[in-house]
Amino acid sequence: MHLRSLTVQAIGPFAGRHTVDFDALGESGLFLLEGPTGSGKSTLIDAIVFALYGKVASSEASEERLRSAYAPDDVESVVDLVFEVPAGVYRVRRTPAYQRAKRRGSGTTTANATVKAWRLPSGVDLDPSTLDTLGVPLGNRLDEIGAEIQKAVGLDRTQFVQTIVLPQGEFAHFLRAKPEERRGLLQKIFGTEVYDRLAQRLAEMRREGDRACVTARAALASASSQLVGAARLTGEEAAEVRAAIDAAVLGSEGLVAGVQAVVTARTDGLVRVAQTAGAAATAADDARRQARELLDQVTATDSLLRRRAALRTEREALDAAADTNAEAVLRLTAARAAHAVRPLLVGLERAETALDGARKALRAALDAAPEDIAVPPAGTALRAHVQARGRVAGEEAAALARLVDVEAGLEVRRRAVRDARHAIDDLVAAIAADDEWLAARPGARTTLLTELEAARTRAARRAGHESALAAATELVAAHRELASTESSLAAAVDARASAATVATAALDRERDLRAARIAGLAGEIAAGLDDGDPCPVCGSAVHPAKALLDADHVSPERVERAEADRARAEAGLREAAERCSGLGERVDGLRARVGQVTADAAEQRTTVARAALDEARTAEAAVARLAPALDGFDARTHERETERAETVARLTGDRSVLEVTVLDLDASEAAVVAGRGEHPTVAARHAELRGRSAAAGEVLEALAEEEAAQDEWQRRRDELAQGLAEHAFDSAGAARSAAVDAGVLAELDRIVTAYASALDRVAVGLAEPPIAELAEDLEVDVDGTRSAEALARTRAEEAAGEARVATERAAAASAAADEVLAAAVALAAAVEAAGPVARLADLTGGGGGDNARSLSLATFVLVRRFEDVVAAANERLLLMSDGRYELVRSDEKEDVRARNTGLAMRVVDHVTGQPRDPRTLSGGETFYVSLCLALGMADVVTAEAGGIDLGTLFVDEGFGSLDPHTLDAVLAELGRLRAGGRVVGVVSHVEALKQSIADRIEIRPTAAGPSTLVVRAG
């Protein structure tokens, strides 16, 4: 991966927009990020990691540090990164989430994080003015772009900060990591996941093969149990069969052939038994069928004899009842004739009753009608007279119907006229009140508008007051931080002096102990010499005067402890010096920021600016209150003016309507007086006319009903006379005497019909050929024949049952035998298929007796790659450590819970000849050993086809812990990277690096607080 360019805006200490051209910096292969502590060097590293993964580099840092505290609210925080991988050139633009002021009103709101990404064409010119017009968009969703970028880079955030961007606190993580952690990182970098997937697939296939074998064995056992059950074997026989099948499975001979021999021996005997039982059942069934045919013949003959006897008995009984049946026939004939005439009798009776009722109704209607209607003049028909009188009364009532409604509504209309006059008076009063209210509105509006304009003028100054307050607050904070930092610097200077004293004393003690040990070394050598041993100094085997060993002789352990004390003291001194340097740079930066402004002046500026801002905010609140109030004032004025206009229009209309209503009322009252005549009201006259018309109608209706009833009575009498003659009745009384109830009639019909049916049935039955042909003295033995048939049936059923059981047993055993053979074939196939897979799974998974180191295939591949990384790292480490340290891979597990071996690491100290845990190295040693390891990994990955291209490396800590000699060696090694095409960015403020590395990014804080950067390349 190669970085092309980085643009930041409002990020960390950078308030403005700054662009870093990594293409220009990468031409030399080595560049420096330098600046005072806290100026923003690590912020650029965080910006790169944030652009790719949406999080900062250090796992312990917060994303809130991304938003610049110096940027105005309307300036967006942006990171724009262009990078190149083997898959192509990509551009990603991210904004972090942060709190900004609301655009309307007061308070803050959250600006959400956003992301956009593009794939750029190869060889693209990274001109900022045209960059936005290039590339294919990849989306704008956080999860979508995150997955796309990680796929392109090939590393997740944790792996990225361990191999490409090595931030503060994360640099030595790979060196000190556990083997399992190294395994994940190496696997991702070298792309060896395929071996893990292969091993997992083979292990899964082995489990599938094992399950298939277990399932096949279970199926064979189940089929064997089914064979035992189907053949209905005894317990001893079943045990023999199972043992034989198990022996065939475990035997060295063919599994299927052995199982087939066992089951065939059992099924052949069962088939022979079934054939014998079947022949016996066939013979017994023939005997049963013959006995059944004889029984059916005897039973049928006996049934015919019984039926003949019953028919003869029934015929004798019918002959005895012949006279009674003849009498019933006569009664039935007369009753049926009377039943036919009965409806005519009933109809005549009803017609007579209706005629009498109609005559009474006519007399009642004449009595109720007025005399001039009920009594016609002499010589005039009643119907014509009533019709004429009723028509005249109806016409006069119809003419008065409208005036009745008019008369009823007169009072309501008079009341409406009075109400309309009162409403007109109210409208006149309302118009006068509106005129008075509207006259006072212009003056009140002028006062409210003046107050609003004054508040707006004060509120417009808020932005200036906020800027002044922010600047004053920053100065106050800078003064406070300056005082605190100066105090810390004084304490750090004292601590550095104390550390220097301790380091000097430790160095003197080590020097004295080494000198004392050298002085007494002769005695130490002599103490180990016996007579005859050659002297390691002169080689003589004779020792006439051996040197004596002093009682307080210095041992090697004391020297080593003194050396360790000296190393710790020197490390403490370096740490104290670095702290003093950092604090000094911070003090200088803060002093430049505060300038000539004193702390009291800064506090006074803050107080004045805050008071002015409060006044502006109060004015804003007044504007927010007065502007709606003015709008509401104008709205109410407009509403009142609209209401007055509507009232005037309504007054004009109401007056016109009232005039028309009064004229219409006068005309209606005159018509009512004319219409009531001599009656008190029009309604009374109308009611009298309607009563006369109704009385005439009732008389006419009664006349019509009386005439219709007379016609119906005459028709019914003629029909009855005709019906009596047709059914041979002399009179109506004779017909009534012959009539019976419907139940009696039905009973007579049933008796006569039943007698005739019985005679026919008996005659037909006795004439049937099977009965007519029977001999008079014929007899049969039904019971004896039935007993013989039952005995034959029992014998046949027993034989059939025995044959069925034998046949079913043989068939079930044969079917079960087929299942056993099929299960044996499946088991043989499963065992044959599972063997090679299990062997391969053991080899790739680190199992098996021939894999003494228990290395899986994936781990074996990673071990080879890891050895290459260690070898590449040692090429640099031997130079940087002057041949003292060398990295070696170890097969030992660092933890009993570790799953794999082969990825542990030790540091061989060639001074002591002992391997060391990497975690025991000092700070400076850890730095350059980790650096060699990271560079070695970049060498191997770059040389590997298909690996991840680690073309760019950032180092963000540790150079201050190196002594001058080691620093020179490290710089020389970093300089060798130019030949490999890789680029290393060094983040440091060590003065020696500034003098050694020409290409750099210079970051400086300004007097106002924000930092700025300058790229110097070429």
Side-chain angles (χ1 to χ4, degrees):
M1 174 183 178
H2 292 270
L3 301 180
R4 301 287 303 276
S5 72
L6 172 70
T7 300
V8 296
Q9 175 180 284
I11 296 294
F14 302 103
R17 187 177 184 88
H18 302 278
T19 299
V20 178
D21 185 356
F22 287 111
D23 284 344
L25 289 170
E27 291 181 359
S28 65
L30 183 65
F31 65 90
L32 178 67
L33 279 79
E34 65 93 5
T37 300
S39 61
K41 299 185 297 297
S42 298
T43 300
L44 294 182
I45 304 296
D46 285 335
I48 294 172
V49 179
F50 173 73
L52 295 173
Y53 300 101
K55 294 182 178 294
V56 296
S58 177
S59 58
E60 298 178 356
S62 171
E63 278 72 30
E64 295 180 358
R65 64 183 294 183
L66 289 172
R67 174 61 181 176
S68 176
Y70 303 106
D73 285 342
D74 58 348
V75 176
E76 185 180 36
S77 294
V78 177
V79 176
D80 198 326
L81 177 67
V82 179
F83 64 94
E84 185 173 359
V85 294
V89 181
Y90 292 84
R91 177 191 175 197
V92 58
R93 181 184 187 276
R94 284 189 189 267
T95 65
Y98 62 93
Q99 294 294 317
R100 63 169 178 79
K102 292 182 178 179
R103 294 185 175 89
R104 296 182 178 179
S106 60
T108 61
T109 186
T110 300
N112 294 324
T114 64
V115 64
K116 292 182 180 179
W118 300 264
R119 181 167 183 157
L120 304 179
S122 300
V124 63
D125 183 12
L126 302 183
D127 184 357
S129 62
T130 61
L131 193 59
D132 288 339
T133 64
L134 301 176
V136 178
L138 301 179
N140 56 9
R141 287 177 46 188
L142 295 175
D143 55 345
E144 181 182 72
I145 297 304
E148 189 71 26
I149 295 300
Q150 183 168 327
K151 178 181 177 182
V153 176
L155 299 172
D156 61 25
R157 191 194 68 85
T158 302
Q159 295 160 345
F160 186 83
V161 300
Q162 291 178 9
T163 56
I164 294 180
V165 176
L166 305 178
Q168 295 179 12
E170 305 283 348
F171 185 79
H173 183 82
F174 182 76
L175 175 66
R176 297 171 177 170
K178 296 180 180 179
E180 290 297 327
E181 297 173 352
R182 291 196 191 102
R183 173 186 173 83
L185 178 61
L186 292 172
Q187 186 179 69
K188 191 72 175 180
I189 292 176
F190 290 109
T192 61
E193 297 93 339
V194 63
Y195 300 105
D196 258 341
R197 292 197 295 270
L198 175 61
Q200 292 170 2
R201 179 54 184 155
L202 286 172
E204 183 179 351
M205 291 175 65
R206 177 177 61 185
R207 290 192 294 271
E208 292 173 354
D210 293 342
R211 287 195 295 269
C213 290
V214 171
T215 302
R217 288 191 177 91
L220 179 58
S222 176
S224 301
S225 299
Q226 292 179 3
L227 175 61
V228 169
R232 303 178 186 178
L233 302 179
T234 63
E236 183 177 353
E237 291 173 336
E240 291 177 357
V241 170
R242 291 191 175 96
I245 291 176
D246 292 341
V249 172
L250 299 176
S252 59
E253 301 297 331
L255 185 153
V256 177
V259 172
Q260 186 174 15
V262 174
V263 298
T264 302
R266 289 290 173 180
T267 56
D268 289 347
L270 294 175
V271 170
R272 290 191 295 272
V273 171
Q275 292 173 349
T276 302
T282 301
D285 189 63
D286 291 340
R288 179 200 60 76
R289 187 168 57 255
Q290 294 173 3
R292 181 63 193 179
E293 290 174 355
L294 179 59
L295 176 61
D296 291 342
Q297 294 174 1
V298 171
T299 303
T301 303
D302 181 68
S303 177
L304 290 173
L305 290 173
R306 292 175 181 276
R307 187 178 177 199
R308 184 180 66 178
L311 289 173
R312 287 176 177 177
T313 301
E314 187 176 0
R315 185 178 58 184
E316 293 173 357
L318 289 173
D319 292 343
D323 294 340
T324 305
N325 181 67
E327 182 181 352
V329 170
L330 293 175
R331 287 187 61 194
L332 177 61
T333 302
R336 284 176 174 171
H339 184 72
V341 175
R342 180 180 177 82
L344 301 176
L345 294 171
V346 173
L348 180 60
E349 291 174 355
R350 291 177 177 174
E352 291 175 348
T353 302
L355 178 59
D356 185 59
R359 288 171 178 171
K360 292 179 179 179
L362 177 59
R363 285 194 297 271
L366 292 173
D367 293 341
E371 184 177 357
D372 60 334
I373 293 177
V375 181
T380 303
L382 178 60
R383 178 182 298 277
H385 173 72
V386 172
Q387 286 178 343
R389 291 293 184 178
R391 183 172 57 255
V392 171
E395 292 174 353
E396 292 180 356
L400 291 178
R402 187 187 66 81
L403 286 179
V404 172
D405 295 335
V406 172
E407 182 184 49
L410 285 177
E411 184 58 32
V412 174
R413 293 166 66 184
R414 295 186 189 105
R415 190 181 305 113
V417 169
R418 291 194 298 270
D419 293 342
R421 290 189 174 119
H422 293 159
I424 289 173
D425 294 340
D426 293 339
L427 291 175
V428 172
I431 292 172
D434 289 340
D435 291 339
E436 182 180 357
W437 188 84
L438 290 172
R441 298 300 283 179
R445 187 182 188 283
T446 300
T447 301
L448 186 60
L449 180 60
T450 301
E451 186 178 355
L452 174 60
E453 293 298 331
R456 283 176 174 167
T457 301
R458 293 193 303 273
R461 302 190 186 101
R462 175 179 175 174
H465 295 328
E466 286 179 342
S467 300
L469 177 60
T473 303
E474 290 176 0
L475 280 176
V476 171
H479 272 291
R480 292 173 182 172
E481 186 177 358
L482 175 61
S484 174
T485 307
E486 287 175 341
S487 176
S488 299
L489 177 61
V493 170
D494 294 341
R496 181 180 61 184
S498 299
T501 302
V502 173
T504 301
L507 181 62
D508 293 341
R509 177 171 174 75
E510 180 187 9
R511 184 181 63 251
D512 294 343
L513 287 175
R514 288 187 184 277
R517 173 169 172 71
I518 293 172
L521 193 59
E524 181 179 341
I525 295 173
L529 291 176
D530 293 331
D531 292 339
D533 293 339
C535 177
V537 179
C538 66
S540 175
V542 179
H543 317 296
K546 295 191 292 184
L548 297 177
L549 182 65
D550 295 337
D552 58 348
H553 177 65
V554 178
S555 65
E557 290 77 9
R558 290 181 62 188
V559 175
E560 290 179 358
R561 287 196 297 272
E563 181 183 4
D565 292 341
R566 187 264 306 163
R568 284 193 296 272
E570 289 179 349
L573 177 58
R574 284 195 298 273
E575 292 177 359
E578 288 181 359
R579 178 167 176 77
C580 286
S581 176
L583 289 173
E585 292 178 355
R586 184 60 179 164
V587 167
D588 293 341
L590 291 172
R591 286 173 177 170
R593 186 186 302 179
V594 300
Q596 301 300 320
V597 181
T598 65
D600 293 338
E603 290 286 356
Q604 185 176 2
R605 289 184 183 181
T606 303
T607 302
V608 173
R610 184 174 289 109
L613 180 59
D614 291 342
E615 182 182 359
R617 287 173 177 170
T618 303
E620 284 185 345
V623 170
R625 174 179 55 81
L626 292 173
L630 180 61
D631 294 340
F633 185 93
D634 292 341
R636 287 192 298 275
T637 302
H638 179 69
E639 289 174 0
R640 193 65 174 265
E641 290 174 343
T642 303
E643 290 175 359
R644 182 188 181 283
E646 292 175 353
T647 303
V648 171
R650 190 163 59 250
L651 175 62
T652 303
D654 289 353
R655 283 174 172 170
S656 300
V657 170
L658 178 61
E659 293 177 359
V660 175
T661 302
V662 170
L663 292 176
D664 186 56
L665 177 61
D666 294 342
S668 297
E669 287 181 342
V672 167
V673 171
R676 66 173 176 251
E678 298 178 355
H679 293 75
T681 62
V682 175
R685 183 184 176 191
H686 180 261
E688 179 184 352
L689 291 172
R690 291 187 61 187
R692 290 175 60 83
S693 177
E698 290 176 358
V699 171
L700 291 174
E701 184 178 355
L703 281 171
E705 290 179 356
E706 190 270 340
E707 292 173 354
Q710 180 68 34
D711 294 341
E712 178 66 13
W713 175 81
Q714 185 62 43
R715 186 178 64 81
R716 291 289 186 178
R717 190 178 64 172
D718 295 342
E719 289 178 351
L720 178 60
Q722 183 180 356
L724 291 174
E726 289 178 356
H727 292 87
F729 285 112
D730 296 336
S731 64
R736 290 188 181 94
S737 298
V740 296
D741 294 338
V744 176
L745 180 63
E747 181 62 21
L748 288 172
D749 183 69
R750 184 189 65 76
I751 293 173
V752 172
T753 303
Y755 184 85
S757 298
L759 281 176
D760 293 341
R761 178 172 49 77
V762 169
V764 171
L766 291 174
E768 291 178 357
I771 295 177
E773 293 173 0
L774 292 174
E776 292 295 331
D777 57 350
L778 180 62
E779 293 182 0
V780 292
D781 185 7
V782 177
D783 293 337
T785 305
R786 184 176 289 111
S787 298
E789 189 274 338
L791 179 60
R793 184 173 68 252
T794 300
R795 290 175 179 175
E797 289 175 351
E798 291 175 353
E802 293 174 358
R804 183 173 60 256
V805 171
T807 302
E808 291 176 353
R809 182 182 181 189
S814 297
D818 293 339
E819 294 293 333
V820 172
L821 290 176
V825 171
L827 176 57
V831 171
E832 183 179 358
V837 174
R839 172 65 176 159
L840 286 176
D842 284 338
L843 288 176
T844 58
D850 54 353
N851 193 341
R853 295 170 61 189
S854 298
L855 285 181
S856 66
L857 176 61
T859 304
F860 174 78
V861 173
L862 288 179
V863 167
R864 299 283 77 81
R865 297 294 191 277
F866 187 41
E867 289 175 347
D868 294 340
V869 171
V870 171
N874 282 330
E875 293 180 3
R876 294 181 171 86
L877 181 58
L878 290 173
L879 294 175
M880 292 188 187
S881 65
D882 291 331
R884 176 177 181 179
Y885 292 124
E886 181 180 4
L887 295 173
V888 295
R889 184 189 61 79
S890 174
D891 289 327
E892 297 181 0
K893 292 185 177 181
E894 295 183 355
D895 192 330
V896 295
R897 295 170 294 179
R899 294 174 295 175
N900 298 290
T901 62
L903 296 178
M905 186 165 53
R906 291 290 183 270
V907 179
V908 176
D909 188 344
H910 290 294
V911 174
T912 63
Q914 298 295 324
R916 298 171 56 181
D917 190 310
R919 287 170 288 192
T920 64
L921 297 173
S922 67
E925 293 168 342
T926 297
F927 169 73
Y928 65 73
V929 172
S930 300
L931 180 60
C932 291
L933 195 58
L935 296 177
M937 185 180 299
D939 290 339
V940 175
V941 171
T942 303
E944 282 279 345
I948 297 172
D949 182 12
L950 305 181
T952 303
L953 178 69
F954 282 89
V955 184
D956 190 12
E957 67 171 50
F959 290 96
S961 63
L962 302 179
D963 59 72
H965 174 71
T966 306
L967 180 60
D968 291 340
V970 170
L971 290 177
E973 188 59 34
L974 293 178
R976 292 172 54 193
L977 295 175
R978 299 184 180 94
R982 290 188 298 276
V983 179
V984 177
V986 176
V987 183
S988 179
H989 51 69
V990 176
E991 190 63 33
L993 292 177
K994 299 179 184 179
Q995 299 173 2
S996 302
I997 302 175
D999 292 347
R1000 67 185 64 187
I1001 303 173
E1002 294 180 351
I1003 302 175
R1004 296 290 184 269
T1006 63
S1011 294
T1012 184
L1013 65 83
V1014 177
V1015 178
R1016 303 188 185 279

